[in-house]
Amino acid sequence: MHTDTMTFGPATYEELAEQLDGLLTGETDPIANLANTAALIYHGLPDLNWAGFYLMRREVLVLGPFQGKPACVRIEIGKGVCGTAVARAASVLVPDVHAFPGHIACDAASRSELVVPLVRDGAVLGVLDLDSPIPSRFDARDEAGCEALVAVLLRHLGDFAV
Ligand code: SME
């Protein structure tokens, strides 16, 4: 799909999944596809102040393509919301980041967070991290919707591996 045929703005998760599939089809470069996924989500979901990826690099998460303010670069497994999602190999929904022990504050404006791991063949490749300035911005519907978006992305990551 050509990006100039797409309109960006608030969308349902079903619409976003379709747009994402179209956006990534025909391209297997992982950086390009991760970057376009971050941009689509950031502009497609309301009330986000950060959307992007941390990728597994030698047993540590390292900042990947994202939209938002500059962020901390390295996160250890088990640390913060992102490292917790890797340790559990499961999504982590945080309604109030101030109440999450060990939360890593990259942007002081962030009040709630959703992290979805990228799991392929049982291995965690990285995480999708979404931040919002609004408390309790994310719910179970967002979690399921973002897991569906990650599933689309994983189909278009080519031979990307950790
Ligand atoms: N808050 C995250 C760190 C990454 S920033 O939100 C972009 C965490 O606690 O893992």
Side-chain angles (χ1 to χ4, degrees):
M1 180 182 288
H2 298 289
T3 51
D4 57 3
T5 64
M6 300 182 68
T7 53
F8 294 100
T12 66
Y13 281 106
E14 290 73 19
E15 289 167 340
L16 276 178
E18 250 178 63
Q19 288 182 1
L20 184 62
D21 193 48
L23 191 58
L24 305 186
T25 292
E27 182 55 69
T28 57
D29 184 89
I31 299 298
N33 284 349
L34 289 162
N36 261 339
T37 302
L40 186 78
I41 291 173
Y42 187 75
H43 292 284
L45 294 178
D47 301 321
L48 301 184
N49 62 321
W50 205 90
F53 296 94
Y54 282 88
L55 304 172
M56 285 302 303
R57 297 282 184 245
R58 296 177 187 272
E59 304 297 310
V60 68
L61 285 170
V62 177
L63 184 64
F66 71 95
Q67 302 268 308
K69 287 187 179 173
C72 46
V73 175
R74 289 172 188 270
I75 300 175
E76 287 174 38
I77 310 313
K79 303 286 184 190
V81 186
C82 293
T84 300
V86 174
R88 294 181 190 168
S91 298
V92 180
L93 190 57
V94 181
D96 175 4
V97 296
H98 299 314
F100 187 92
H103 168 257
I104 301 163
C106 291
D107 182 343
S110 297
R111 296 295 309 279
S112 57
E113 185 160 352
L114 171 61
V115 177
V116 176
L118 277 55
V119 184
R120 177 189 272 173
D121 300 329
V124 180
L125 306 180
V127 299
L128 167 67
D129 180 19
L130 305 184
D131 284 26
S132 173
I134 299 182
S136 301
R137 158 66 183 82
F138 307 104
D139 60 17
R141 217 180 57 92
D142 295 291
E143 186 176 325
C146 288
E147 287 175 353
L149 294 177
V150 163
V152 172
L153 169 65
L154 284 168
R155 287 198 278 109
H156 293 285
L157 276 188
D159 57 5
F160 181 73
V162 292

CSV table of all heavy atoms in Angstrom, one decimal, residues 49-52 54 61 63 66-67 69-72 75-76 79-84 94 97 100-107 110 112-113 115 127 129-131, ligand 1:
chain,number,residue,atom,x,y,z
A,49,ASN,N,1.3,9.6,24.5
A,49,ASN,CA,2.5,10.5,24.5
A,49,ASN,C,3.8,9.8,24.1
A,49,ASN,O,4.8,10.4,23.9
A,49,ASN,CB,2.7,11.3,25.8
A,49,ASN,CG,3.0,10.4,27.0
A,49,ASN,OD1,2.4,9.3,27.1
A,49,ASN,ND2,3.9,10.8,27.8
A,50,TRP,N,3.7,8.5,23.9
A,50,TRP,CA,4.8,7.7,23.5
A,50,TRP,C,4.3,6.3,22.9
A,50,TRP,O,3.4,5.7,23.5
A,50,TRP,CB,5.8,7.4,24.7
A,50,TRP,CG,7.2,7.2,24.3
A,50,TRP,CD1,8.2,8.1,24.1
A,50,TRP,CD2,7.8,5.9,24.0
A,50,TRP,NE1,9.4,7.5,23.8
A,50,TRP,CE2,9.2,6.1,23.7
A,50,TRP,CE3,7.4,4.6,23.9
A,50,TRP,CZ2,10.1,5.1,23.3
A,50,TRP,CZ3,8.2,3.6,23.6
A,50,TRP,CH2,9.6,3.9,23.3
A,51,ALA,N,4.9,5.9,21.8
A,51,ALA,CA,4.5,4.6,21.2
A,51,ALA,C,5.8,4.1,20.5
A,51,ALA,O,6.3,4.8,19.6
A,51,ALA,CB,3.4,4.7,20.3
A,52,GLY,N,6.2,2.9,20.9
A,52,GLY,CA,7.4,2.4,20.2
A,52,GLY,C,7.9,1.1,20.7
A,52,GLY,O,7.1,0.4,21.5
A,54,TYR,N,11.1,-1.6,22.3
A,54,TYR,CA,12.4,-2.0,22.9
A,54,TYR,C,12.6,-3.4,22.3
A,54,TYR,O,11.8,-4.2,22.3
A,54,TYR,CB,12.3,-1.9,24.4
A,54,TYR,CG,12.4,-0.5,25.0
A,54,TYR,CD1,11.3,0.2,25.2
A,54,TYR,CD2,13.7,0.0,25.3
A,54,TYR,CE1,11.4,1.5,25.7
A,54,TYR,CE2,13.7,1.3,25.8
A,54,TYR,CZ,12.6,2.0,26.0
A,54,TYR,OH,12.7,3.3,26.5
A,61,LEU,N,17.0,-5.1,27.0
A,61,LEU,CA,16.1,-4.4,26.1
A,61,LEU,C,16.8,-3.1,25.7
A,61,LEU,O,17.3,-2.4,26.5
A,61,LEU,CB,14.8,-4.0,26.7
A,61,LEU,CG,13.8,-5.2,26.9
A,61,LEU,CD1,12.6,-4.7,27.8
A,61,LEU,CD2,13.2,-5.7,25.5
A,63,LEU,N,16.4,0.4,23.2
A,63,LEU,CA,15.4,1.3,22.5
A,63,LEU,C,15.4,1.0,21.0
A,63,LEU,O,16.5,1.0,20.4
A,63,LEU,CB,15.8,2.8,22.8
A,63,LEU,CG,14.8,3.8,22.2
A,63,LEU,CD1,13.4,3.7,22.9
A,63,LEU,CD2,15.4,5.2,22.5
A,66,PHE,N,10.5,4.5,17.5
A,66,PHE,CA,9.4,5.0,18.4
A,66,PHE,C,9.0,6.4,17.9
A,66,PHE,O,9.6,7.0,17.1
A,66,PHE,CB,9.9,5.1,19.9
A,66,PHE,CG,10.9,6.2,20.1
A,66,PHE,CD1,10.4,7.4,20.6
A,66,PHE,CD2,12.2,6.0,19.9
A,66,PHE,CE1,11.4,8.4,20.8
A,66,PHE,CE2,13.1,7.0,20.1
A,66,PHE,CZ,12.7,8.2,20.6
A,67,GLN,N,7.8,6.8,18.5
A,67,GLN,CA,7.3,8.2,18.3
A,67,GLN,C,7.1,8.7,19.7
A,67,GLN,O,6.6,8.1,20.6
A,67,GLN,CB,6.0,8.2,17.6
A,67,GLN,CG,6.0,7.5,16.3
A,67,GLN,CD,6.3,8.5,15.2
A,67,GLN,OE1,5.6,9.6,15.1
A,67,GLN,NE2,7.2,8.2,14.3
A,69,LYS,N,8.8,11.6,23.0
A,69,LYS,CA,10.1,12.2,23.4
A,69,LYS,C,11.2,11.2,23.5
A,69,LYS,O,10.9,10.0,23.7
A,69,LYS,CB,9.8,12.8,24.8
A,69,LYS,CG,9.0,14.1,24.8
A,69,LYS,CD,8.9,14.7,26.1
A,69,LYS,CE,8.1,16.0,26.1
A,69,LYS,NZ,7.9,16.6,27.4
A,70,PRO,N,12.5,11.7,23.4
A,70,PRO,CA,13.6,10.7,23.6
A,70,PRO,C,13.4,10.0,24.9
A,70,PRO,O,12.9,10.5,25.9
A,70,PRO,CB,14.8,11.7,23.7
A,70,PRO,CG,14.4,12.9,22.9
A,70,PRO,CD,12.9,13.0,23.2
A,71,ALA,N,13.8,8.7,24.9
A,71,ALA,CA,13.6,7.8,26.0
A,71,ALA,C,14.8,7.1,26.5
A,71,ALA,O,15.9,7.1,25.8
A,71,ALA,CB,12.5,6.7,25.6
A,72,CYS,N,14.7,6.5,27.7
A,72,CYS,CA,15.9,5.7,28.2
A,72,CYS,C,16.2,4.6,27.2
A,72,CYS,O,15.3,4.1,26.6
A,72,CYS,CB,15.6,5.2,29.6
A,72,CYS,SG,14.0,4.4,29.7
A,75,ILE,N,17.0,-1.2,29.2
A,75,ILE,CA,16.1,-1.7,30.3
A,75,ILE,C,16.5,-3.2,30.5
A,75,ILE,O,16.4,-4.0,29.6
A,75,ILE,CB,14.6,-1.5,30.0
A,75,ILE,CG1,14.3,0.0,29.7
A,75,ILE,CG2,13.8,-2.1,31.1
A,75,ILE,CD1,12.9,0.2,29.3
A,76,GLU,N,16.8,-3.5,31.8
A,76,GLU,CA,17.1,-4.9,32.1
A,76,GLU,C,15.8,-5.7,32.2
A,76,GLU,O,14.8,-5.2,32.6
A,76,GLU,CB,17.9,-4.9,33.4
A,76,GLU,CG,19.3,-4.5,33.4
A,76,GLU,CD,19.9,-4.4,34.7
A,76,GLU,OE1,19.7,-5.3,35.6
A,76,GLU,OE2,20.7,-3.4,35.0
A,79,LYS,N,13.0,-5.4,34.9
A,79,LYS,CA,12.9,-4.0,35.4
A,79,LYS,C,11.9,-3.2,34.7
A,79,LYS,O,11.7,-3.4,33.5
A,79,LYS,CB,14.3,-3.3,35.3
A,79,LYS,CG,15.5,-4.0,35.9
A,79,LYS,CD,15.4,-3.8,37.4
A,79,LYS,CE,16.7,-4.5,38.1
A,79,LYS,NZ,16.6,-4.5,39.5
A,80,GLY,N,11.2,-2.3,35.4
A,80,GLY,CA,10.2,-1.5,34.8
A,80,GLY,C,9.1,-2.3,34.2
A,80,GLY,O,9.0,-3.5,34.4
A,81,VAL,N,8.2,-1.6,33.5
A,81,VAL,CA,7.0,-2.3,33.0
A,81,VAL,C,7.5,-3.1,31.8
A,81,VAL,O,7.1,-4.3,31.6
A,81,VAL,CB,6.0,-1.3,32.5
A,81,VAL,CG1,4.7,-2.0,32.0
A,81,VAL,CG2,5.6,-0.3,33.6
A,82,CYS,N,8.4,-2.6,31.0
A,82,CYS,CA,8.9,-3.3,29.8
A,82,CYS,C,9.6,-4.6,30.2
A,82,CYS,O,9.4,-5.6,29.6
A,82,CYS,CB,9.8,-2.4,28.9
A,82,CYS,SG,8.9,-1.0,28.2
A,83,GLY,N,10.5,-4.4,31.1
A,83,GLY,CA,11.3,-5.6,31.5
A,83,GLY,C,10.4,-6.7,32.2
A,83,GLY,O,10.7,-7.9,32.1
A,84,THR,N,9.4,-6.2,32.9
A,84,THR,CA,8.4,-7.1,33.5
A,84,THR,C,7.7,-7.9,32.4
A,84,THR,O,7.4,-9.1,32.6
A,84,THR,CB,7.4,-6.4,34.4
A,84,THR,OG1,8.2,-5.7,35.4
A,84,THR,CG2,6.4,-7.3,35.0
A,94,VAL,N,-0.8,-1.1,33.0
A,94,VAL,CA,-0.6,-0.4,34.2
A,94,VAL,C,-1.5,0.9,34.2
A,94,VAL,O,-1.2,1.9,33.5
A,94,VAL,CB,0.9,0.0,34.3
A,94,VAL,CG1,1.2,0.8,35.6
A,94,VAL,CG2,1.8,-1.2,34.2
A,97,VAL,N,1.0,4.5,36.6
A,97,VAL,CA,2.4,4.2,36.7
A,97,VAL,C,3.0,4.5,38.0
A,97,VAL,O,4.0,3.8,38.4
A,97,VAL,CB,3.2,4.9,35.5
A,97,VAL,CG1,2.7,4.4,34.2
A,97,VAL,CG2,3.1,6.4,35.7
A,100,PHE,N,3.1,1.5,40.2
A,100,PHE,CA,3.8,0.2,39.7
A,100,PHE,C,5.2,0.3,40.2
A,100,PHE,O,6.0,1.1,39.8
A,100,PHE,CB,3.8,0.2,38.2
A,100,PHE,CG,4.4,-1.1,37.6
A,100,PHE,CD1,3.5,-2.1,37.3
A,100,PHE,CD2,5.7,-1.2,37.4
A,100,PHE,CE1,4.0,-3.3,36.8
A,100,PHE,CE2,6.2,-2.4,36.8
A,100,PHE,CZ,5.4,-3.4,36.5
A,101,PRO,N,5.6,-0.7,41.1
A,101,PRO,CA,6.9,-0.6,41.7
A,101,PRO,C,8.0,-0.8,40.6
A,101,PRO,O,7.9,-1.7,39.8
A,101,PRO,CB,6.9,-1.9,42.6
A,101,PRO,CG,5.5,-2.2,42.8
A,101,PRO,CD,4.7,-1.8,41.6
A,102,GLY,N,8.9,0.1,40.6
A,102,GLY,CA,10.0,0.0,39.6
A,102,GLY,C,9.7,0.6,38.3
A,102,GLY,O,10.5,0.5,37.3
A,103,HIS,N,8.6,1.2,38.1
A,103,HIS,CA,8.3,1.9,36.8
A,103,HIS,C,9.4,2.8,36.5
A,103,HIS,O,9.9,3.6,37.3
A,103,HIS,CB,7.0,2.7,37.0
A,103,HIS,CG,6.7,3.6,35.8
A,103,HIS,ND1,6.9,5.0,35.9
A,103,HIS,CD2,6.4,3.4,34.5
A,103,HIS,CE1,6.7,5.5,34.7
A,103,HIS,NE2,6.3,4.6,33.9
A,104,ILE,N,9.8,2.8,35.2
A,104,ILE,CA,10.9,3.7,34.7
A,104,ILE,C,10.3,4.9,34.0
A,104,ILE,O,9.6,4.7,33.0
A,104,ILE,CB,11.8,2.9,33.8
A,104,ILE,CG1,12.4,1.7,34.5
A,104,ILE,CG2,12.9,3.8,33.3
A,104,ILE,CD1,13.0,0.7,33.6
A,105,ALA,N,10.4,6.1,34.6
A,105,ALA,CA,9.8,7.3,34.0
A,105,ALA,C,10.7,7.9,33.0
A,105,ALA,O,11.8,8.5,33.3
A,105,ALA,CB,9.5,8.3,35.1
A,106,CYS,N,10.3,7.7,31.7
A,106,CYS,CA,11.1,8.3,30.6
A,106,CYS,C,10.5,9.7,30.3
A,106,CYS,O,11.3,10.7,30.1
A,106,CYS,CB,11.1,7.5,29.4
A,106,CYS,SG,12.0,5.9,29.6
A,107,ASP,N,9.2,9.8,30.3
A,107,ASP,CA,8.5,11.1,30.1
A,107,ASP,C,7.7,11.3,31.3
A,107,ASP,O,6.8,10.5,31.6
A,107,ASP,CB,7.7,11.0,28.8
A,107,ASP,CG,7.0,12.3,28.5
A,107,ASP,OD1,6.9,13.2,29.4
A,107,ASP,OD2,6.5,12.4,27.4
A,110,SER,N,3.8,10.8,31.5
A,110,SER,CA,3.2,9.4,31.4
A,110,SER,C,2.5,9.1,32.7
A,110,SER,O,3.0,9.2,33.8
A,110,SER,CB,4.2,8.3,31.1
A,110,SER,OG,4.8,8.6,29.8
A,112,SER,N,-0.3,6.3,32.5
A,112,SER,CA,-0.6,4.9,32.4
A,112,SER,C,0.1,4.3,31.2
A,112,SER,O,0.7,5.1,30.4
A,112,SER,CB,-2.1,4.8,32.2
A,112,SER,OG,-2.6,5.5,31.1
A,113,GLU,N,0.2,3.0,31.2
A,113,GLU,CA,1.1,2.3,30.2
A,113,GLU,C,0.6,0.9,29.9
A,113,GLU,O,-0.1,0.3,30.7
A,113,GLU,CB,2.5,2.2,30.9
A,113,GLU,CG,3.6,1.7,30.0
A,113,GLU,CD,5.0,2.0,30.5
A,113,GLU,OE1,5.1,2.8,31.4
A,113,GLU,OE2,5.9,1.5,29.9
A,115,VAL,N,2.2,-2.5,27.8
A,115,VAL,CA,3.4,-3.1,27.2
A,115,VAL,C,3.0,-4.5,26.7
A,115,VAL,O,2.4,-5.3,27.5
A,115,VAL,CB,4.6,-3.2,28.1
A,115,VAL,CG1,5.7,-3.9,27.4
A,115,VAL,CG2,5.0,-1.8,28.6
A,127,VAL,N,9.5,-5.6,22.9
A,127,VAL,CA,8.2,-5.2,23.4
A,127,VAL,C,7.7,-4.0,22.6
A,127,VAL,O,8.4,-3.2,22.2
A,127,VAL,CB,8.2,-4.9,24.9
A,127,VAL,CG1,8.6,-6.1,25.7
A,127,VAL,CG2,9.0,-3.7,25.2
A,129,ASP,N,5.6,-0.7,23.5
A,129,ASP,CA,5.3,0.1,24.7
A,129,ASP,C,4.5,1.3,24.3
A,129,ASP,O,4.9,2.1,23.5
A,129,ASP,CB,6.7,0.5,25.3
A,129,ASP,CG,6.5,1.3,26.6
A,129,ASP,OD1,5.4,1.3,27.2
A,129,ASP,OD2,7.4,2.0,27.0
A,130,LEU,N,3.3,1.4,25.0
A,130,LEU,CA,2.5,2.6,24.8
A,130,LEU,C,2.3,3.3,26.1
A,130,LEU,O,2.1,2.7,27.1
A,130,LEU,CB,1.1,2.2,24.3
A,130,LEU,CG,1.0,1.3,23.0
A,130,LEU,CD1,-0.5,1.1,22.7
A,130,LEU,CD2,1.8,1.9,21.9
A,131,ASP,N,2.5,4.7,26.1
A,131,ASP,CA,2.4,5.5,27.2
A,131,ASP,C,1.3,6.5,27.0
A,131,ASP,O,1.1,7.0,25.9
A,131,ASP,CB,3.6,6.3,27.5
A,131,ASP,CG,4.7,5.4,28.2
A,131,ASP,OD1,4.7,4.2,27.9
A,131,ASP,OD2,5.6,6.0,28.8
B,1,SME,N1,8.0,3.2,31.4
B,1,SME,C1,8.8,2.1,30.8
B,1,SME,C2,10.1,2.7,30.2
B,1,SME,C3,10.0,3.1,28.8
B,1,SME,S1,9.3,4.5,28.6
B,1,SME,O1,7.9,4.5,29.1
B,1,SME,C4,9.3,5.0,26.9
B,1,SME,C5,9.1,1.0,31.8
B,1,SME,O2,8.8,1.2,33.0
B,1,SME,O3,9.6,0.0,31.4
